[in-house]
Amino acid sequence: MEEVVLGVDLGTSAIKTLAVNKQGQVISQTSVTLPLIQLQSGFNEQDPRNWVESVKESIKILIKQEAMYDKEIKGLSFSGQMHGLVALDKELKPLRNAILWNDTRTTKQCREIKEKYGGILLGNPILEGFTLPKLLWMKENEPENWRRLEVFLLPKDYVRYELTGDVAMEYSDAAGTLLLNPDTQDWDKSVGETLELGNIFPRLVASHEFVGYLKSEIKKELNLNSDIAIFAGGADNACGALGAGVINDAETLCSIGTSGVILTCTNHNDSASSGHNIHFFNHAQPNMSYEMGVTLSAGASLNWLKHTFFKDETFENVVEQADQSQIGANGLLFAPYLQGERTPHGDAFIRGSFIGINNNTQKYDFVRAVIEGITYSLYESYKFMIQDGCHERQIVSIGGGAKSRFWLQLQADVFNANIMTLKYEEGPGMGAAMLAAYGMKWFNTMKDCADLFISYGETYKPNLENHKKYEQYFKIYQQIYQQTETLTQQLLNIK
């Protein structure tokens, strides 16, 4: 029988599972939708137990597919949505729903942390999405749950515990808690003591580390016979970078999904970028870290535009209309702050805006303005990250922004960099499968794995004249936040 590994991607909207063989070929894949619990505005939660059942359901569906009949599953690893708080009691059962990365209830707690530490803690900005503010919110608002809290985990680490019985958190995810010290590569005990968190920290493991075998009762439930080795896995952005082959110093990834990410690898142990809400996390690639900027409403902005003004058209048709406009969208700018912004402003309350509407503005100008605004937001982060001049002017593009030739060329022109595409884009699930393949010792290094598993497609080269035009609009775009922040606050204060 042919041996395969599984890459399980625990996203916000779905569980996606890939079966990959030793040549990096995707044999089969499945997706199971996840529900979101929104008790009130700004609250985003999920039931951790539903993740576990959905992962098992995803594997059940996968192994029943015809392509899997002569395949033997040897290993499994994970990619997971970051920052989500899973609080467990002494019996290691969830005390409450998980509080997710896109939950914004913790502004008060962020303010309290900033009063003690300033704007940066352990190399990262203090933002609502991270895990530490969620812990402090729980401590303040749910004292009974806090009293019963034994240990906290992140989403994919909880699922892995349920599948193996092993309690641990891996580094690329732990780096997004605001509690991991990048210098010692251990939990920062002084922060825990200052904020009176107690002994709630799990042990730390490497992304490719073997943590146990699939429980016998789950093997039986899934009708599996052979032992399946489980490896720790990685944060979704780290696994997305792995799955795109972005694993070496100075290599860069642009991912445009619901949110947008611009990510650059670095082999430095501490953050070179101070301020601007640039994040600094451990990579799932051994001995590598990455700097990252985040646009909260990237593809979400285009999704809003489509469903509000182009309901009967496909996304492809909507994006194609942008090419009818021109650079600068006929003098129209869009700030993609629909649900606040992460980088560089770190403002949960700023809101989006169009600037420059006139009598000649057409529907296709709005489309182009939204696409340009999303790209400007990521470019703003990129410019902060390349200030030292050491980064390659070459970017691998994935996600919705890589599905349009028009948008790929626009990225090349705005970033003034070569934009590379993947021949086969499988997302963070491929990164998770690579961790399992490397953990199984199918390869001597992660680079050996990436060289075989990943193939690149077309490269889009920048047009310097276009870049100069975009720069003029970008400089005006950068002023939108400062000019609209006070207006937005006034609007939100009206009851």
Side-chain angles (χ1 to χ4, degrees):
M1 296 181 75
E2 184 179 24
E3 295 181 349
V4 298
V5 291
L6 302 188
V8 178
D9 177 25
L10 168 54
T12 311
S13 59
I15 301 283
K16 298 176 183 177
T17 303
L18 303 176
V20 183
N21 67 13
K22 289 184 177 181
Q23 288 70 48
Q25 298 168 324
V26 177
I27 302 300
S28 186
Q29 55 187 302
T30 60
S31 179
V32 174
T33 302
L34 293 172
L36 186 64
I37 302 168
Q38 295 177 300
L39 301 175
Q40 64 186 75
S41 178
F43 283 42
N44 290 290
E45 302 182 353
Q46 285 177 326
D47 184 346
R49 294 164 295 191
N50 188 47
W51 296 333
V52 179
E53 294 307 311
S54 296
V55 167
K56 291 192 290 186
E57 180 65 21
S58 179
I59 296 173
K60 282 180 184 177
I61 296 170
L62 185 95
I63 61 180
K64 289 179 180 177
Q65 294 182 356
E66 184 176 352
M68 291 293 291
Y69 284 166
D70 60 346
K71 306 298 185 292
E72 183 179 14
I73 300 171
K74 300 298 292 183
L76 182 155
S77 192
F78 300 88
S79 161
Q81 50 167 295
M82 297 179 71
H83 312 307
L85 172 62
V86 184
L88 304 181
D89 63 15
K90 288 185 178 180
E91 283 72 47
L92 299 179
K93 302 296 182 185
L95 287 162
R96 64 175 332 280
N97 289 332
I99 304 177
L100 302 189
W101 63 274
N102 54 353
D103 189 286
T104 58
R105 74 183 73 179
T106 59
T107 299
K108 177 176 180 288
Q109 286 71 36
C110 287
R111 194 177 301 120
E112 292 168 354
I113 299 169
K114 288 176 183 178
E115 287 173 358
K116 288 183 170 66
Y117 294 101
I120 301 290
L121 176 60
L122 299 173
N124 276 297
I126 298 163
L127 300 170
E128 284 84 355
F130 290 174
T131 317
L132 174 58
K134 295 174 174 60
L135 285 164
L136 296 182
W137 182 92
M138 182 178 163
K139 181 181 177 183
E140 181 176 337
N141 293 276
E142 298 179 351
E144 179 57 26
N145 280 339
W146 183 259
R147 185 184 63 80
R148 296 170 57 204
L149 176 64
E150 180 71 13
V151 67
F152 79 99
L153 293 177
L154 298 176
K156 63 109 175 52
D157 298 310
Y158 170 74
V159 173
R160 195 184 61 245
Y161 153 69
E162 288 286 1
L163 297 187
T164 64
D166 183 71
V167 179
M169 189 183 296
E170 65 76 41
Y171 283 103
S172 70
D173 239 353
T177 61
L178 286 178
L179 289 163
L180 183 73
N181 189 308
D183 298 321
T184 65
Q185 288 298 294
D186 200 356
W187 298 116
D188 195 293
K189 298 297 172 56
S190 67
V191 173
E193 291 171 0
T194 298
L195 298 175
E196 299 179 346
L197 298 180
N199 186 23
I200 60 172
F201 300 93
R203 92 179 200 281
L204 293 162
V205 295
S207 301
H208 62 277
E209 189 169 330
F210 169 74
V211 295
Y213 290 100
L214 188 66
K215 288 179 179 177
S216 57
E217 60 266 31
I218 296 179
K219 276 175 53 180
K220 184 176 181 181
E221 180 182 349
L222 299 179
N223 197 29
L224 295 168
N225 297 317
S226 60
D227 286 335
I228 298 177
I230 309 293
F231 303 91
D236 53 5
N237 288 307
C239 284
L242 274 185
V246 178
I247 59 175
N248 298 309
D249 186 42
E251 292 180 341
T252 300
L253 175 76
C254 179
S255 173
I256 302 176
T258 301
S259 61
V261 166
I262 190 82
L263 175 160
T264 297
C265 295
T266 174
N267 55 20
H268 300 301
N269 290 326
D270 54 6
S271 175
S273 300
S274 58
H276 309 301
N277 288 309
I278 298 294
H279 308 359
F280 181 78
F281 297 143
N282 294 54
H283 203 326
Q285 160 77 331
N287 304 312
M288 189 65 64
S289 300
Y290 61 88
E291 299 172 290
M292 183 177 76
V294 179
T295 297
L296 288 179
S297 296
S301 293
L302 191 62
N303 186 61
W304 164 80
L305 184 79
K306 181 228 184 293
H307 288 290
T308 305
F309 299 108
F310 300 90
K311 285 185 178 179
D312 299 326
E313 300 186 45
T314 65
F315 277 104
E316 291 76 14
N317 289 339
V318 173
V319 173
E320 283 175 7
Q321 292 185 47
D323 205 11
Q324 299 176 46
S325 185
Q326 58 190 344
I327 292 174
N330 192 22
L332 184 64
L333 286 170
F334 171 70
Y337 308 146
L338 300 191
Q339 52 182 344
E341 189 56 306
R342 180 78 69 84
T343 312
H345 304 299
D347 187 340
F349 300 103
I350 191 66
R351 292 295 177 263
S353 56
F354 284 100
I355 307 293
I357 302 171
N358 62 67
N359 287 335
N360 296 319
T361 304
Q362 304 296 314
K363 288 177 71 175
Y364 51 72
D365 293 321
F366 281 97
V367 179
R368 182 157 191 146
V370 168
I371 291 173
E372 288 181 351
I374 294 165
T375 312
Y376 289 150
S377 177
L378 293 165
Y379 178 52
E380 191 166 24
S381 294
Y382 180 67
K383 290 197 75 165
F384 288 127
M385 290 159 54
I386 64 171
Q387 283 177 348
D388 59 13
C390 296
H391 296 82
E392 296 181 4
R393 305 297 293 198
Q394 185 163 282
I395 300 171
V396 179
S397 183
I398 64 173
K403 290 180 169 58
S404 159
R405 296 179 65 87
F406 165 80
W407 201 345
L408 286 162
Q409 186 60 53
L410 191 147
Q411 289 176 57
D413 293 344
V414 171
F415 287 107
N416 194 26
N418 291 335
I419 300 294
M420 299 172 60
T421 61
L422 296 176
K423 191 173 289 186
Y424 309 106
E425 184 185 325
E426 303 296 346
M430 176 58 81
M434 290 169 64
L435 287 171
Y438 180 51
M440 290 292 301
K441 295 183 170 50
W442 287 359
F443 300 91
N444 293 324
T445 67
M446 192 68 75
K447 184 181 184 305
D448 292 339
C449 180
D451 287 345
L452 185 62
F453 276 37
I454 297 161
S455 300
Y456 294 100
E458 193 172 353
T459 295
Y460 293 75
K461 296 184 177 181
N463 180 307
L464 185 56
E465 290 304 310
N466 288 348
H467 175 69
K468 290 177 180 178
K469 292 178 184 177
Y470 281 121
E471 276 289 328
Q472 295 178 66
Y473 289 102
F474 172 69
K475 289 176 181 177
I476 301 171
Y477 165 86
Q478 286 187 291
Q479 300 175 52
I480 294 176
Y481 175 78
Q482 285 77 18
Q483 300 290 342
T484 61
E485 180 187 12
T486 301
L487 295 175
T488 300
Q489 286 292 337
Q490 292 175 18
L491 286 170
L492 293 176
N493 287 336
I494 295 175
K495 303 300 182 183

